[in-house]
Amino acid sequence: QVDLVESGGGSVQAGGSLRLSCAASEYSDRTRCMAWFRKPPGKSREAVAFVDADGATRYADSVRGRFIVSKGDAENILLLHMNDLKSDDTATYICAAGPARRSGRPICPGYNYLGQGIQVTVSS
């Protein structure tokens, strides 16, 4: 079992910034792909940002240019720097991890492990 623990959420006014952090209990073949998802109130879970096993980053259109995803000092740490926050960014943010393909694409086919999530509330 892999545990993922998020931290850094909270409430902020529109235009503000927050940094989320996720610590995985291990960095192994099971967790080479990491990502952030979010679940807005009353809506389905959606992808936010990814760090693939080869270090490439990907973003949802709604956050590109405002959010930056990166690894921390250790490979088991995933960060999300959120800037110019909007009320539409209000959601429970969920850290995810999964294995990478040894060959073929996509390099990160799925995320087997999810954190409990952390609330981010943006007020206008």
Side-chain angles (χ1 to χ4, degrees), residues 17-18 27 33 44 46-47 49-50 55 57 87 98 102 122-123:
S17 300
L18 280 175
Y27 180 69
C33 300
S44 300
E46 60 189 35
F50 305 82
T57 56
S87 56
R102 294 186 182 276
V122 184
S123 56

Side-chain angles (χ1 to χ4, degrees), residues 2-6 22 92-97 113-118:
V2 175
D3 293 321
L4 301 168
V5 179
E6 302 96 341
C22 170
T92 299
Y93 283 72
I94 303 162
C95 179
Y113 307 103
L114 298 177
Q116 293 287 338
I118 193 162

Side-chain angles (χ1 to χ4, degrees), residues 23-117:
S25 56
E26 65 183 67
Y27 180 69
S28 67
D29 285 343
R30 300 194 291 177
T31 60
R32 295 204 188 284
C33 300
M34 296 187 77
W36 288 100
F37 292 81
R38 68 186 182 187
K39 188 178 185 306
K43 297 183 180 180
S44 300
R45 188 171 66 208
E46 60 189 35
V48 176
F50 305 82
V51 178
D52 290 342
D54 60 359
T57 56
R58 295 179 285 130
Y59 297 92
D61 289 344
S62 59
V63 306
R64 187 177 294 111
R66 299 188 298 121
F67 290 12
I68 299 172
V69 65
S70 65
K71 287 295 192 73
D73 290 340
E75 287 288 351
N76 67 317
I77 302 296
L78 183 68
L79 304 175
L80 185 66
H81 297 262
M82 304 185 293
N83 302 307
D84 189 22
L85 283 160
K86 307 177 187 300
S87 56
D88 286 348
D89 295 319
T90 294
T92 299
Y93 283 72
I94 303 162
C95 179
R101 289 182 192 272
R102 294 186 182 276
S103 63
R105 296 286 174 176
I107 193 171
C108 295
Y111 298 87
N112 300 338
Y113 307 103
L114 298 177
Q116 293 287 338

